[in-house]
């Protein structure tokens, strides 16, 4: 009888030990193998998403810089600085231009940073925008944008926060189409960061 009881106890102890061992193996595999794999997969997914967002932002900047450059290195724009020809503004910066180019603001300034022309217009909501916060004292355009990589004659771009939201800006020295004339001002375009892009960045980060 005692032998039978000992066998039962041994079987129970063996079963309990086996269950404990199986549980230990299961939890160990979960925490040492599966969880690190899941973390790595999530990290790689976030990296891919952020990379996609980065290149989307780069594409937006490239497109804005190209348009800005095309308008800045042009005889009509160059001559406007000298003559302030109203027909140039009427022909090139009516509201439809903002919609077609998908931009939200235009500033034309001379070499003293004096604003010769400015207009803010939301190309999506089609309503006026106010960028007066981009003016320094004496109504000169913000030096932090004007002096951004100024030694570069090509179009350059960056991101700035304004009262109307976060904007991508592009700025190019104004010259003639052959790029032979001495720069007489700068052309600045602003475009609001697309809200869907901002939302995706926020979610990914």
């Amino acid at each position: 009888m005692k032998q039978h009881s000992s066998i039962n106890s041994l079987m129970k102890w063996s079963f309990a030990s086996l269950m404990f061992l199986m549980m230990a193996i299961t939890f160990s595999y979960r925490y040492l193998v599966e969880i690190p794999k899941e973390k790595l997969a999530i990290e790689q997914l976030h990296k891919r998403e952020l990379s996609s967002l980065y290149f989307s932002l780069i594409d937006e900047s490239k497109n804005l810089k190209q348009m800005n450059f095309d308008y800045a290195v042009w005889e009509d724009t160059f001559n406007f600085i000298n003559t302030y020809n109203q027909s140039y503004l009427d022909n090139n910066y009516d509201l439809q231009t903002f919609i077609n180019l998908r931009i939200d603001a235009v500033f034309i300034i001379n070499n003293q940073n004096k604003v010769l022309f400015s207009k803010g217009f939301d190309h999506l909501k089609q309503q006026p925008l106010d960028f007066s916060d981009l003016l320094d004292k004496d109504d000169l355009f913000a030096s932090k944008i004007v002096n951004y990589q100024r030694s570069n004659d090509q179009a350059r771009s960056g991101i700035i926060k304004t009262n109307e939201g976060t904007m991508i800006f592009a700025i190019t020295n104004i010259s003639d189409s052959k790029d032979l004339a001495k720069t007489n001002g700068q052309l600045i375009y602003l475009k609001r960061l697309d809200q869907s892009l901002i939302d995706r960045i926020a979610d990914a980060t």
Side-chain angles (χ1 to χ4, degrees), residues 9 11 23 41 52 59-60 72 78 82-83 85 101 105 107 110 129-130 154 162 168 173 179-180:
S9 297
M11 289 179 64
M23 289 175 63
S52 174
D59 286 341
E60 290 280 356
F78 180 79
N82 300 324
T83 63
N85 186 350
L101 297 183
F107 289 88
N110 61 18
L129 297 175
D130 179 14
Q154 298 299 312
T162 74
I168 304 174
N173 296 338
D179 203 17
L180 298 176

Side-chain angles (χ1 to χ4, degrees), residues 27 35 37 107 199 203:
F27 281 109
I35 289 180
K37 283 184 177 179
F107 289 88
D199 292 341
D203 290 340

Side-chain angles (χ1 to χ4, degrees), residues 51-113:
S51 178
S52 174
L53 293 170
Y54 170 76
F55 285 110
S56 296
L57 188 56
I58 291 297
D59 286 341
E60 290 280 356
S61 297
K62 283 183 178 179
N63 293 336
L64 188 64
K65 282 198 300 183
Q66 186 59 57
M67 288 187 299
N68 183 253
F69 178 82
D70 290 343
Y71 273 79
V73 185
W74 182 31
E75 280 87 351
D76 286 10
T77 306
F78 180 79
N79 292 333
F80 169 78
I81 299 289
N82 300 324
T83 63
Y84 197 86
N85 186 350
Q86 184 62 41
S87 63
Y88 166 81
L89 300 177
D90 296 338
N91 294 332
N92 293 284
Y93 291 115
D94 60 357
L95 298 184
Q96 191 59 44
T97 300
F98 286 75
I99 298 172
N100 294 341
L101 297 183
R102 296 189 300 166
I103 58 176
D104 298 300
V106 172
F107 289 88
I108 302 176
I109 63 175
N110 61 18
N111 284 335
Q112 289 73 46
N113 294 5

Side-chain angles (χ1 to χ4, degrees), residues 17-170:
S17 299
L18 180 61
M19 289 297 296
F20 177 78
L21 180 61
M22 290 178 64
M23 289 175 63
I25 292 174
T26 300
F27 281 109
S28 297
Y29 182 80
R30 172 67 177 161
Y31 282 97
L32 297 178
V33 179
E34 289 185 349
I35 289 180
K37 283 184 177 179
E38 291 173 0
K39 286 183 177 179
L40 180 61
I42 292 172
E43 183 178 334
Q44 290 175 340
L45 175 62
H46 284 177
K47 285 182 178 179
R48 286 195 297 269
E49 289 178 344
L50 289 173
S51 178
S52 174
L53 293 170
Y54 170 76
F55 285 110
S56 296
L57 188 56
I58 291 297
D59 286 341
E60 290 280 356
S61 297
K62 283 183 178 179
N63 293 336
L64 188 64
K65 282 198 300 183
Q66 186 59 57
M67 288 187 299
N68 183 253
F69 178 82
D70 290 343
Y71 273 79
V73 185
W74 182 31
E75 280 87 351
D76 286 10
T77 306
F78 180 79
N79 292 333
F80 169 78
I81 299 289
N82 300 324
T83 63
Y84 197 86
N85 186 350
Q86 184 62 41
S87 63
Y88 166 81
L89 300 177
D90 296 338
N91 294 332
N92 293 284
Y93 291 115
D94 60 357
L95 298 184
Q96 191 59 44
T97 300
F98 286 75
I99 298 172
N100 294 341
L101 297 183
R102 296 189 300 166
I103 58 176
D104 298 300
V106 172
F107 289 88
I108 302 176
I109 63 175
N110 61 18
N111 284 335
Q112 289 73 46
N113 294 5
K114 180 177 175 58
V115 178
L116 303 181
F117 171 75
S118 67
K119 180 184 288 188
F121 183 74
D122 189 317
H123 74 280
L124 292 177
K125 297 180 180 179
Q126 298 187 21
Q127 61 186 27
L129 297 175
D130 179 14
F131 291 100
S132 58
D133 59 315
L134 293 181
L135 300 180
D136 290 337
K137 60 181 181 179
D138 301 322
D139 288 336
L140 301 181
F141 193 78
S143 57
K144 58 187 174 183
I145 294 180
V146 174
N147 294 324
Y148 179 72
Q149 298 180 352
R150 190 165 189 169
S151 59
N152 184 357
D153 287 335
Q154 298 299 312
R156 59 252 196 222
S157 65
I159 297 177
I160 188 169
K161 185 177 181 180
T162 74
N163 289 339
E164 297 288 1
T166 302
M167 301 280 169
I168 304 174
F169 70 85

